[in-house]
Amino acid sequence: MDGEVDAAESGGSRKRRVHGMLKLYYGMNEEGKSADEPDSLDPCDINGPHFDPDVYLNKLRRECSLGELMDQESCMVKQIRSLDSDMQTLVYENYNKFISATDTIRKMKNDFKKMEDEMDCLSTNMAAITEFSASISGTLQDQHTQITKLSGVHTLLRKLQFLFELPARLNKCVELQAYGQAVSSHRRARCVLQQYSHLPSFSGIQDDCHVIMEQLAQDLRQKFRDGGSSAKDLSECVELLLQLDEPAEELCDKFLNHAGARLQLDLAGLEAEIRTAEPPSSSSSSSGPPPPSSPAADTSPKTSSPPAPAAVAAKTDILEFIDRGCNEFVSSLCLVVASYQELFVHRAQTGELASKNIPQMASGKLQGFVDELAARYFSIVERRIREERGVGDNSLLVRALDRFHRRLQAVAKLLPGSQVPARGTEIVVRAATERVRQYLQALQSFYLDTLTDVRQALAAPRLAVAGGASVALGGGAGGLLGAGGGGAGGLPELLSSLSASILNQIKSVLASVHLFTAKDITFSNKPYFKGEFCSHGVRENLVVSFIQFICQSSRRFCETASDKGGSTPPALLLLLSRLCLDYETSTISYILTLTDEQFLSQHHNPVTPVTALCAEAREAAQKLLNHYVKVQGLIISQMLRKSVETRDWVNTIEPRNVRAVMKRVVEDTTSIDVQVGLLYEEGVRKAHSSDSSKRTFSVYSSSRQQPRYAASYTPSAPMDTNLLSNIHKLFSERIDIFSSVEFNKVSVMTGIIKISLKTFLECVRLRTFGRYGLQQIQVDCHYLQVYLWRFVSDENLAHFLLDEIVGSTAHRCLDPAPMEQSVIEVICERG
């Protein structure tokens, strides 16, 4: 009975211990609360451990009304139902887990019982094995020493047998050319033979082996010197010779000499290809194909060479040439470098070789070897690149340079400290710079050829224009003017075609140069091509230089008549002035913006600002327009000078008509007015008086005619006449004849007429006139006044100059008798 009680107590204590561990795991105390929550002592706390239902009910009856009691009851019912539902859900959710845990525990009991039986069996077997092993060891203890001794004797006999058979084995390997096996066998026995060389038998074996290995070394040297050996065979020979203690420096030199001979053959083949492609002529200049949309013009500044032989036409392109050099020379060079480094530089040095510092010596020799061959290869490549003078298609050259640059990166990986990749990049940079220079020359040549076409167009037969006048416009030679390019609109069309062709050519060149900075080109990521090439090479040396060339070449047309600029057609001066003005207003800004957008240039170095280029273009336009005014004024002045100097003004007849030269002056002035109006705006004029065409000159007007010509021009009063003339000039506005003109038609025509009338005035001052000479000058000036006042900005300027001409004529007239104004008007109307 006591046993049953003890068993029950022990079972209860075990259960309490298990429950205590669960409560400890979940953080609960004995009352089921969280360990963190303090125990409540209130007997009315329904969740507390000291809850008393009677006290709780009495409290509710005292404090709550009937309705509140009913609500409290319904709330408790809901809570009880909720707790029951939660309990059922918890039981349902964990039922399968409880069943599975029960099955697992039952299975574990069975498995552990079987495992205990197997462990007992294993322990019994291990004890039997130990006992049996101890019995065997005790039985063989006496024979173990004898067996070990016999095994050592057997190993020694096998080594002796190997040594006695070594000469025959080496001879057999030499006969079969198994040099590697022979060297390996000799290296295994060399230390033993050297150690026991004082014994006659071992000394004989050593001598025989030495003779055989000398012969083997001779065969390896011969194979090394054999020109037909492959790189693999060469490497094997070098490795075996090193194992035979050949001098490493001598082997390095022989290896590099042999490899250099093969590489020199590759370079000789490339040089032969260049020599075959070169023309027999000493001049190497050749004109490349013109860029797209350009006329067939020589892009080289030199004279074109005679037709090349058939070898030139059949030469390989630059991409194929670079491919051949990379596939033959560069690949072979990389293979030689890799083999050399594996044999001499990266080879593990042991024994005596470790103290000779062979890798450092071998690296120095390899560096010099690579530099020498690379220098010759780069020279050949640069010679071939210099032959690429044609700027028609740039893609082949860029692809060739990209391949050349990429293949040299293999050398950079094999020789990290080598300067070969950097020198290759320099070649690419020089090629890009040279190509930019060639494109600049091509643009300059294109511009000059285009100007030649413009001059031919302007030299075409004179075309009729509006108003019955004529002006040399031309039909547009060289295709600059399309169909229907003649007539009054020919000059603007010529300007438009010239400007468009230049702009299209610049765009075409920029597109070709942009290939150097394409994303798929490896060398485009170099700092030079991201910065200096874009800003300095393309923007400054190409675009800005070409714009400056346009301005400079245009200014050369403004040279004096003794130079080549004196023969420039006036229409070309006018056309170029308008071209430079258009460049100043919009074209330069557009071109530079287009360049910066395409090349994304970050201008780290100072660059030419747009304002400086625009100022240069405006200066060129101003100089050209001033020169145009001067040339046209001198042309008309020449006619007026000849008409004054070739006539006898003292003995001339009474005027009946306007002289033909005056009609020619009016016609040419009208023609110039039409020509300038095609390219420039009208401009601002001062208000004209209502009788501008009927105005008379002050020297013979009704208010001043009688006293001035009746009294003043008598021999007795020359001083009074000069005094009146000087007083009149004091109150007249000073006229600057050769002042700069503005960019409008009125200003240009005013400048031309000022030069013409000033020349007329100076010529009149050098002549002496008779009565009818004075009257002829009156008629001519009135005719000019009738037609020229409408061309100038201020009609008073023309009236003043014509007044001066008539006044100067009157001063130099021997018998001043002016013609009546009405008669002058009749003659001019009839003329």
Side-chain angles (χ1 to χ4, degrees):
M1 186 67 180
D2 293 337
E4 291 178 359
V5 173
D6 294 338
E9 289 179 355
S10 61
S13 63
R14 187 183 303 113
K15 185 180 296 184
R16 283 194 301 271
R17 187 169 61 255
V18 171
H19 283 289
M21 294 177 66
L22 287 174
K23 288 180 180 180
L24 181 64
Y25 176 77
Y26 287 106
M28 305 297 289
N29 53 21
E30 293 296 333
E31 288 75 14
K33 286 191 175 183
S34 175
D36 298 335
E37 296 181 4
D39 294 337
S40 177
L41 302 177
D42 188 7
C44 297
D45 185 6
I46 196 171
N47 295 321
H50 302 284
F51 175 70
D52 190 347
D54 295 333
V55 176
Y56 181 71
L57 288 175
N58 293 329
K59 182 179 179 182
L60 289 179
R61 282 197 298 269
R62 286 196 310 268
E63 297 177 356
C64 299
S65 61
L66 181 60
E68 292 176 348
L69 289 175
M70 297 294 291
D71 294 338
Q72 190 71 20
E73 180 185 9
S74 62
C75 180
M76 283 188 176
V77 170
K78 289 181 181 179
Q79 290 180 0
I80 292 170
R81 290 177 180 175
S82 176
L83 290 174
D84 291 341
S85 176
D86 292 342
M87 181 69 71
Q88 291 177 2
T89 302
L90 182 62
V91 171
Y92 292 153
E93 288 180 352
N94 291 280
Y95 180 74
N96 290 331
K97 297 180 182 178
F98 292 152
I99 298 300
S100 176
T102 303
D103 294 340
T104 303
I105 292 172
R106 186 182 300 112
K107 186 176 181 181
M108 288 175 62
K109 288 181 178 180
N110 297 331
D111 291 343
F112 277 118
K113 185 175 182 181
K114 181 186 290 187
M115 188 180 298
E116 290 177 358
D117 297 339
E118 291 179 354
M119 289 298 294
D120 292 340
C121 181
L122 179 61
S123 177
T124 304
N125 292 335
M126 290 296 294
I129 292 172
T130 302
E131 183 179 357
F132 185 69
S133 176
S135 175
I136 293 175
S137 298
T139 304
L140 298 179
Q141 183 68 32
D142 298 336
Q143 300 179 1
H144 179 71
T145 304
Q146 187 177 0
I147 292 173
T148 303
K149 185 177 180 180
L150 291 175
S151 177
V153 171
H154 181 264
T155 303
L156 180 61
L157 291 175
R158 290 182 59 186
K159 291 181 179 180
L160 291 175
Q161 183 180 4
F162 174 79
L163 291 176
F164 287 118
E165 294 178 354
L166 182 59
R169 185 189 298 270
L170 294 178
N171 284 325
K172 187 67 174 179
C173 291
V174 171
E175 292 177 2
L176 297 176
Q177 294 186 352
Y179 301 126
Q181 185 178 354
V183 173
S184 177
S185 300
H186 182 262
R187 285 174 60 86
R188 288 169 56 191
R190 182 169 55 183
C191 295
V192 177
L193 292 175
Q194 187 174 1
Q195 183 178 0
Y196 297 100
S197 59
H198 59 283
L199 299 177
S201 57
F202 287 96
S203 176
I205 295 173
Q206 185 181 20
D207 294 339
D208 293 342
C209 291
H210 183 72
V211 173
I212 296 172
M213 295 310 294
E214 281 292 334
Q215 182 63 37
L216 185 145
Q218 188 65 29
D219 293 342
L220 288 176
R221 295 190 192 97
Q222 182 62 34
K223 187 177 181 180
F224 186 83
R225 290 190 294 267
D226 187 7
S229 301
S230 63
K232 184 178 179 180
D233 294 339
L234 195 64
S235 301
E236 184 180 357
C237 289
V238 172
E239 184 174 3
L240 294 177
L241 289 172
L242 282 176
Q243 294 179 9
L244 293 175
D245 295 333
E246 286 286 322
E249 186 173 357
E250 182 180 350
L251 288 178
C252 289
D253 293 336
K254 290 181 179 180
F255 184 92
L256 294 178
N257 290 336
H258 179 80
R262 284 179 163 274
L263 294 173
Q264 293 287 357
L265 290 178
D266 295 338
L267 294 177
L270 295 176
E271 283 185 332
E273 183 175 339
I274 294 180
R275 286 194 297 269
T276 304
E278 288 179 349
S281 143
S282 60
S283 174
S284 61
S285 63
S286 61
S287 60
S293 75
S294 68
D298 184 11
T299 59
S300 174
K302 303 179 182 178
T303 57
S304 59
S305 58
V312 177
K315 75 174 184 179
T316 58
D317 56 49
I318 182 65
L319 180 59
E320 186 176 350
F321 179 85
I322 294 296
D323 271 340
R324 178 181 174 185
C326 292
N327 294 334
E328 294 180 1
F329 173 76
V330 178
S331 297
S332 300
L333 180 63
C334 292
L335 181 61
V336 168
V337 171
S339 302
Y340 181 90
Q341 289 180 331
E342 184 179 357
L343 291 175
F344 301 107
V345 179
H346 299 155
R347 182 183 179 88
Q349 304 295 327
T350 58
E352 296 180 357
L353 295 178
S355 61
K356 296 181 180 179
N357 204 3
I358 294 178
Q360 184 176 359
M361 177 272 299
S363 297
K365 289 182 175 293
L366 179 62
Q367 193 68 50
F369 171 79
V370 172
D371 289 343
E372 180 182 358
L373 288 175
R376 183 181 175 189
Y377 174 63
F378 290 155
S379 174
I380 296 172
V381 170
E382 285 197 283
R383 285 171 53 192
R384 182 63 181 86
I385 292 175
R386 282 196 294 268
E387 295 180 3
E388 293 297 311
R389 295 183 176 272
V391 290
D393 185 8
N394 209 29
S395 59
L396 279 180
L397 177 62
V398 175
R399 288 167 56 196
L401 292 176
D402 177 56
R403 198 159 300 178
F404 170 75
H405 182 269
R406 257 191 295 115
R407 294 298 293 271
L408 288 181
Q409 302 311 307
V411 181
K413 293 180 180 179
L414 291 172
L415 291 174
S418 176
Q419 295 298 320
V420 171
R423 293 171 59 190
T425 304
E426 292 175 359
I427 292 177
V428 175
V429 169
R430 285 196 293 269
T433 305
E434 176 64 19
R435 183 45 60 103
V436 169
R437 187 187 66 81
Q438 291 176 8
Y439 273 118
L440 176 60
Q441 291 181 350
L443 284 175
Q444 293 173 350
S445 177
F446 171 81
Y447 176 71
L448 296 178
D449 293 338
T450 308
L451 286 187
T452 302
D453 294 339
V454 171
R455 298 187 71 156
Q456 292 176 358
L458 296 173
R462 301 170 75 87
L463 302 175
V465 296
S470 64
V471 58
L473 297 179
L480 286 176
L481 286 179
L491 203 57
E493 290 183 7
L494 195 61
L495 174 64
S496 177
S497 299
L498 174 62
S499 180
S501 61
I502 294 174
L503 187 58
N504 290 335
Q505 197 67 15
I506 293 176
K507 290 181 179 179
S508 175
V509 168
L510 288 178
S512 299
V513 177
H514 191 262
L515 295 176
F516 282 98
T517 59
K519 293 183 179 179
D520 57 340
I521 302 301
T522 55
F523 59 77
S524 65
N525 295 322
K526 295 294 181 180
Y528 171 80
F529 286 95
K530 285 186 175 181
E532 186 177 356
F533 177 76
C534 294
S535 61
H536 184 72
V538 178
R539 188 185 191 276
E540 294 297 309
N541 292 346
L542 182 61
V543 178
V544 174
S545 296
F546 179 59
I547 294 174
Q548 292 174 342
F549 173 79
I550 292 177
C551 298
Q552 294 169 2
S553 61
S554 299
R555 286 196 297 267
R556 293 194 193 102
F557 290 107
C558 302
E559 297 175 359
T560 59
S562 60
D563 298 328
K564 60 181 180 180
S567 61
T568 305
L572 180 60
L573 296 173
L574 184 66
L575 189 69
L576 291 178
S577 70
R578 184 67 210 191
L579 177 67
C580 292
L581 185 62
D582 291 342
Y583 267 64
E584 185 264 338
T585 54
S586 61
T587 308
I588 290 177
S589 177
Y590 171 74
I591 292 174
L592 292 182
T593 301
L594 180 67
T595 304
D596 293 340
E597 288 177 353
Q598 287 189 9
F599 291 88
L600 299 175
S601 53
Q602 300 175 357
H603 306 314
H604 301 290
N605 298 325
V607 295
T608 305
V610 178
T611 54
L613 286 178
C614 292
E616 187 173 355
R618 188 175 185 85
E619 179 187 357
Q622 185 69 63
K623 193 171 183 180
L624 285 165
L625 195 59
N626 291 341
H627 193 63
Y628 172 79
V629 170
K630 180 180 177 182
V631 170
Q632 292 286 38
L634 292 179
I635 291 174
I636 298 177
S637 299
Q638 189 68 17
M639 293 190 297
L640 292 173
R641 180 184 295 109
K642 289 182 179 179
S643 69
V644 173
E645 293 176 351
T646 58
R647 190 179 182 94
D648 186 2
W649 294 99
V650 178
N651 300 318
T652 185
I653 62 175
E654 185 178 359
R656 291 290 182 265
N657 294 300
V658 180
R659 287 189 299 153
V661 66
M662 298 302 163
K663 298 179 181 180
R664 177 67 182 276
V665 168
V666 173
E667 291 177 358
D668 287 357
T669 304
T670 304
S671 175
I672 294 172
D673 180 74
V674 174
Q675 188 181 69
V676 176
L678 294 175
L679 297 180
Y680 285 98
E681 301 294 332
E682 181 70 21
V684 180
R685 301 175 186 270
K686 290 185 178 181
H688 298 302
S689 61
S690 59
D691 59 344
S692 297
S693 60
K694 301 296 183 180
R695 178 172 176 175
T696 58
F697 298 113
S698 60
V699 292
Y700 53 89
S701 62
S702 58
S703 62
R704 300 178 57 190
Q705 178 181 357
Q706 296 301 327
R708 185 166 185 175
Y709 289 99
S712 299
Y713 285 94
T714 58
S716 62
M719 294 301 296
D720 296 337
T721 304
N722 292 333
L723 180 61
L724 291 174
S725 177
N726 292 331
I727 292 174
H728 179 67
K729 290 179 180 179
L730 287 176
F731 292 96
S732 300
E733 184 179 356
R734 182 179 179 275
I735 299 175
D736 190 0
I737 303 299
F738 293 100
S739 61
S740 295
V741 297
E742 299 178 1
F743 294 102
N744 58 71
K745 184 178 73 172
V746 173
S747 180
V748 172
M749 296 307 299
T750 301
I752 294 173
I753 291 174
K754 284 194 299 183
I755 294 174
S756 304
L757 295 183
K758 183 65 175 178
T759 304
F760 193 8
L761 174 61
E762 297 301 325
C763 291
V764 165
R765 288 176 175 174
L766 298 177
R767 306 292 293 178
T768 304
F769 296 87
R771 173 185 298 180
Y772 296 130
L774 171 61
Q775 295 177 1
Q776 184 65 57
I777 293 296
Q778 286 182 268
V779 172
D780 293 343
C781 289
H782 183 77
Y783 182 82
L784 293 177
Q785 183 266 333
V786 169
Y787 291 100
L788 294 184
W789 66 270
R790 60 177 59 90
F791 296 119
V792 295
S793 58
D794 186 4
E795 59 179 320
N796 294 325
L797 185 145
H799 294 324
F800 176 78
L801 290 174
L802 292 172
D803 191 14
E804 283 289 316
I805 293 171
V806 176
S808 296
T809 305
H811 281 298
R812 288 156 182 77
C813 182
L814 300 177
D815 183 16
M819 183 179 286
E820 292 291 334
Q821 181 65 25
S822 58
V823 178
I824 294 174
E825 293 176 358
V826 170
I827 293 175
C828 291
E829 291 175 358
R830 186 178 61 199

